[in-house]
């Protein structure tokens, strides 16, 4: 399976250019779309889901021109937006049966099989008879995945799904996505670096509506090998330090000392300690440079 976007751009009526000549290929598996709030992630998700039309560009799924065949494409799409509505006081079991009927599954035995499988995959079987309106945030997100699995979609889009979830709910939700990602194209939009690091086999960094980098998380990290350094400095000297060095990020160590991570193509002096790069380093460095730090694997 292959989702291909070519020269996709979108400018809203208020003049905001949400997407700027996006060209990218996404294959089967978990694909992480990483970027800060306002980067254009939701605009890209809505455009791929055919909820809005781009001003220019083409989008194809396995050769199907989805912009000119929206109804056919939507039969193979599963989309979980950031906000996906308020559910009535119905059990997960009954509500999934209702959704399956709407999707054209007329046979009760077929619906039973499909609903049971969706509940099993999303770890909701034990609460199948509980009202969805009473679910926790993480359970509602997993129910959202369950309902979109009913038509066995080729492409699944989830937009900022872990925002607001506690650590345990986040872990359960990521496990669900990891399981379904083996047989589908799953686009996972987030601003949380750890989600992408733990989950995705391929990823891109988006900001200002532009794709700044695309590769595997491992390959992205490899590009910074030997280029990341740390140093402990006085808090009062941070501003001057930032004018002299390419600071990636700052944090406090266990002794409450200010630890600064620095990117440099050149070997730093003995005052700096060499550090192993992380995906977070790649993310911050890419956003600061506003230019690709890796070559796209799909170029």
């Amino acid at each position: 399976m292959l989702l291909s976007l070519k020269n996709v751009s979108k400018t809203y009526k208020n003049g905001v250019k949400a997407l700027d000549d996006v060209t990218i290929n996404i294959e089967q598996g978990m694909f992480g779309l990483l970027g800060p709030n306002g980067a254009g992630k939701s605009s890209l998700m809505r455009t791929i889901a055919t909820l809005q039309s781009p001003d220019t560009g083409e989008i194809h799924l396995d050769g199907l021109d989805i912009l000119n065949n929206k109804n056919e494409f939507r039969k193979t799409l599963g989309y979980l937006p950031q906000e996906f509505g308020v559910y009535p006081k119905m059990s997960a079991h009954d509500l999934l049966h209702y959704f399956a009927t709407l999707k054209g599954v007329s046979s009760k035995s077929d619906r039973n099989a499909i609903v049971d499988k969706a509940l099993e995959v999303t770890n909701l079987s034990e609460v199948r008879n509980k009202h969805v309106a009473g679910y926790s945030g993480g359970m509602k997100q997993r129910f959202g995945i369950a309902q979109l699995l009913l038509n066995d979609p080729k492409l699944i889009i989830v937009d900022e799904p872990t925002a607001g979830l506690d650590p345990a709910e986040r872990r359960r939700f990521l496990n669900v996505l990891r399981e379904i990602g083996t047989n589908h194209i799953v686009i996972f939009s987030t601003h949380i670096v750890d989600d992408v690091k733990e989950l995705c086999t391929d990823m891109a960094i988006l900001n200002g509506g532009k794709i700044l980098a695309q590769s595997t998380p491992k390959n992205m990290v490899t590009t910074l090998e030997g280029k990341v350094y740390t140093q402990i400095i006085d808090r009062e000297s941070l501003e001057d330090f930032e004018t002299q060095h390419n600071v990636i990020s700052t944090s406090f160590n266990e002794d409450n000392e200010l630890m600064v991570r620095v990117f440099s193509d050149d070997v730093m002096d003995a005052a700096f300690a060499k550090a192993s790069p992380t995906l977070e380093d790649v993310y911050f460095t890419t956003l600061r440079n506003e230019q690709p730090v890796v070559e796209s694997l799909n170029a």
Side-chain angles (χ1 to χ4, degrees), residues 216-225 276-280 282 294:
T216 67
K218 181 179 179 180
N219 285 349
M220 284 203 179
V221 171
T222 299
T223 64
L224 294 189
E225 286 288 351
S276 297
T278 66
L279 190 59
E280 188 173 79
V282 175
V294 295

Side-chain angles (χ1 to χ4, degrees), residues 29-103:
M30 291 296 308
F31 182 90
L33 185 65
L34 185 61
N37 292 330
K41 300 189 301 297
S42 292
S43 293
L44 184 56
M45 299 299 92
R46 289 195 300 269
T47 302
I48 295 173
T50 66
L51 297 179
Q52 66 180 21
S53 298
D55 300 326
T56 60
E58 303 174 7
I59 307 177
H60 293 84
L61 177 64
D62 283 346
L64 177 69
D65 181 349
I66 72 173
L67 298 179
N68 291 311
N69 298 275
K70 294 180 181 179
N71 289 336
E72 183 178 352
F73 165 68
R74 288 170 182 170
K75 295 176 183 177
T76 66
L77 171 70
Y79 178 53
L80 183 66
Q82 286 179 270
E83 301 292 337
F84 52 97
V86 177
Y87 292 112
K89 289 185 177 180
M90 293 176 64
S91 70
H93 175 270
D94 290 346
L95 200 49
L96 287 176
H97 266 270
Y98 172 69
F99 285 144
T101 300
L102 293 180
K103 291 175 183 285

Side-chain angles (χ1 to χ4, degrees), residues 109-148:
S109 61
D110 288 346
R111 287 200 306 273
N112 281 329
I114 292 170
V115 168
D116 287 348
K117 179 63 175 178
L119 288 168
E120 178 187 350
V121 168
T122 54
N123 296 320
L124 292 173
S125 296
E126 293 185 1
V127 292
R128 62 191 300 138
N129 295 318
K130 183 177 179 179
H131 287 174
V132 178
Y135 277 5
S136 67
M139 291 164 67
K140 286 180 179 177
Q141 290 286 49
R142 282 185 279 140
F143 180 83
I145 293 293
Q147 60 86 18
L148 63 81

Side-chain angles (χ1 to χ4, degrees), residues 28 63-64 76 92 142 156 167-168 186 206 236 287:
Q28 182 173 310
L64 177 69
T76 66
R142 282 185 279 140
I156 295 172
V186 181
L206 179 78
E236 295 77 14
L287 293 182

Side-chain angles (χ1 to χ4, degrees), residues 30-33 188 195-203 216-217:
M30 291 296 308
F31 182 90
L33 185 65
F188 177 75
D195 284 355
V196 172
K197 179 177 67 176
E198 295 178 25
L199 195 65
C200 298
T201 54
D202 195 9
M203 63 171 288
T216 67

Side-chain angles (χ1 to χ4, degrees), residues 101-277:
T101 300
L102 293 180
K103 291 175 183 285
V105 184
S106 57
S107 167
K108 186 175 181 179
S109 61
D110 288 346
R111 287 200 306 273
N112 281 329
I114 292 170
V115 168
D116 287 348
K117 179 63 175 178
L119 288 168
E120 178 187 350
V121 168
T122 54
N123 296 320
L124 292 173
S125 296
E126 293 185 1
V127 292
R128 62 191 300 138
N129 295 318
K130 183 177 179 179
H131 287 174
V132 178
Y135 277 5
S136 67
M139 291 164 67
K140 286 180 179 177
Q141 290 286 49
R142 282 185 279 140
F143 180 83
I145 293 293
Q147 60 86 18
L148 63 81
L149 288 176
L150 296 174
N151 64 331
D152 192 25
K154 287 184 178 181
L155 171 64
I156 295 172
I157 297 172
V158 285
D159 192 3
E160 296 281 0
T162 63
L165 300 187
D166 66 37
E169 288 181 330
R170 171 182 169 270
R171 173 63 52 202
R172 284 191 290 267
F173 185 78
L174 293 182
N175 286 339
V176 168
L177 287 184
R178 186 177 288 110
E179 182 171 347
I180 66 175
T182 58
N183 298 314
H184 306 80
I185 297 175
V186 181
I187 304 177
F188 177 75
S189 166
T190 185
H191 65 279
I192 303 173
V193 176
D194 282 345
D195 284 355
V196 172
K197 179 177 67 176
E198 295 178 25
L199 195 65
C200 298
T201 54
D202 195 9
M203 63 171 288
I205 298 174
L206 179 78
N207 198 28
K210 296 181 179 180
I211 298 292
L212 302 180
Q214 182 190 359
S215 188
T216 67
K218 181 179 179 180
N219 285 349
M220 284 203 179
V221 171
T222 299
T223 64
L224 294 189
E225 286 288 351
K227 300 180 180 181
V228 178
Y229 298 82
T230 63
Q231 186 179 147
I232 296 173
I233 66 171
D234 295 329
R235 303 180 195 189
E236 295 77 14
S237 62
L238 177 60
E239 188 173 340
D240 289 338
F241 191 90
E242 288 179 321
T243 64
Q244 301 171 36
H245 303 286
N246 188 354
V247 174
I248 301 172
S249 62
T250 61
S251 61
F252 290 95
N253 63 17
E254 58 187 15
D255 297 319
N256 204 30
E257 298 171 312
L258 183 62
M259 179 80 70
V260 182
R261 295 180 72 85
V262 173
F263 169 83
S264 177
D265 283 314
D266 302 318
V267 176
M268 305 293 283
D269 61 41
F272 292 86
K274 189 169 287 188
S276 297

